[in-house]
Amino acid sequence: DIQMTQSPSSLSASVGDRVTITCRASQGISTYLNWYQQKPGKAPNLLIYAASSLQSGVPSRFSGSGSGTDFTLTISSLQPEDFATYYCQQSYTTPRTFGQGTKLEIK
Amino acid sequence: QVQLQESGPGLVKPSQTLSLTCTVSGGSISSGSYYWSWIRQPAGKGLEWIGRIYASGGTNYNPSLQSRVTISVDTSKNQFSLNLSSVTATDTAVYYCAREQTGVVRPFDYWGQGTLVTVSS
């Protein structure tokens, strides 16, 4: 299985901050990397697919980059509604695997 | 707008079989452009992919669960189902169904709201 490792596991930030979350794959996955946002009691919501493509309806303050084994999710200016848990996921091969999550909290 | 909705018992006894159904609306499950997946999440933990099915009936399962999992599809009802046998307390989780795109990019673009299944006597 491909292991996905996110860092940090948790992060405190303020409204307006620029935030970056990192995801590392245990082997190369090209750009088969997706990012999701999950709020308490809700299903994950797709933000970024294919490492850098913004899902329709997702605000442009979200962006993704990377290829191979190292990827980043950046939120350019945090809004109150962005405080949530973020997961990366590889779609290179089965079994599909997710990172352990990064919980973004209000400072 | 595609919608997915999980249904099934919220309480299952240890050693029994967990059975859930996902009903798809707003689109045909028979479309050749998607896989239909089950994903679970224990309380306070991360996401685990269980497996997926294609409209033709082809399946892929997580090796960690493969011996206990069966996913099936009923195209006439626009539904797909999960059976997980010999459950224990570690199978207690919120279970999600989700649509995964096929082709070059393959994200989970639509999810059900999730259903909590508790394994307890």
Side-chain angles (χ1 to χ4, degrees):
Chain A
D1 298 6
I2 297 177
Q3 183 175 356
M4 307 302 294
T5 304
Q6 290 180 231
S7 60
S9 295
S10 64
L11 175 61
S12 294
S14 302
V15 173
D17 284 353
R18 179 182 180 90
V19 167
T20 297
I21 298 169
T22 297
C23 178
R24 175 164 289 177
S26 60
Q27 65 183 74
I29 58 171
S30 185
T31 57
Y32 292 98
L33 190 284
N34 309 304
W35 289 98
Y36 302 85
Q37 177 193 68
Q38 187 179 34
K39 296 182 178 180
K42 300 295 187 182
N45 181 53
L46 177 65
L47 298 175
I48 301 286
Y49 62 92
S52 60
S53 295
L54 192 67
Q55 173 70 351
S56 176
V58 174
S60 59
R61 62 181 179 271
F62 291 93
S63 64
S65 65
S67 67
T69 60
D70 294 314
F71 303 87
T72 59
L73 172 70
T74 299
I75 310 173
S76 61
S77 178
L78 273 174
Q79 298 303 300
E81 60 268 30
D82 300 337
F83 293 93
T85 300
Y86 294 84
Y87 293 94
C88 62
Q89 175 248 330
Q90 63 83 14
S91 54
Y92 182 76
T93 190
T94 58
R96 301 298 196 231
T97 48
F98 294 83
Q100 82 279 15
T102 295
K103 187 174 184 178
L104 181 53
E105 299 175 305
I106 301 174
K107 182 182 287 184
Chain B
Q1 177 77 349
V2 173
Q3 294 186 330
L4 291 82
Q5 178 68 58
E6 305 89 352
S7 59
L11 180 64
V12 181
K13 288 182 167 52
S15 79
Q16 293 190 342
T17 296
L18 178 161
S19 296
L20 296 174
T21 295
C22 183
T23 301
V24 179
S25 58
S28 173
I29 204 169
S30 298
S31 166
S33 300
Y34 306 107
Y35 294 106
W36 304 94
S37 287
W38 288 97
I39 296 160
R40 69 180 183 178
Q41 184 174 38
K45 296 188 177 181
L47 298 155
E48 180 181 31
W49 181 78
I50 298 169
R52 69 184 184 185
I53 192 164
Y54 197 59
S56 63
T59 55
N60 300 104
Y61 298 133
N62 193 321
S64 68
L65 297 167
Q66 185 159 3
S67 64
R68 300 193 291 129
V69 172
T70 303
I71 298 176
S72 59
V73 64
D74 186 338
T75 55
S76 68
K77 295 182 178 179
N78 228 32
Q79 295 176 334
F80 63 107
S81 298
L82 168 69
N83 278 354
L84 181 65
S85 64
S86 304
V87 297
T88 69
T90 59
D91 294 310
T92 295
V94 174
Y95 285 76
Y96 295 101
C97 56
R99 187 182 86 169
E100 179 184 7
Q101 295 182 14
T102 63
V104 177
V105 292
R106 302 188 282 259
F108 297 109
D109 59 352
Y110 285 95
W111 297 64
Q113 65 185 23
T115 188
L116 174 62
V117 178
T118 301
V119 179
S120 175
S121 56

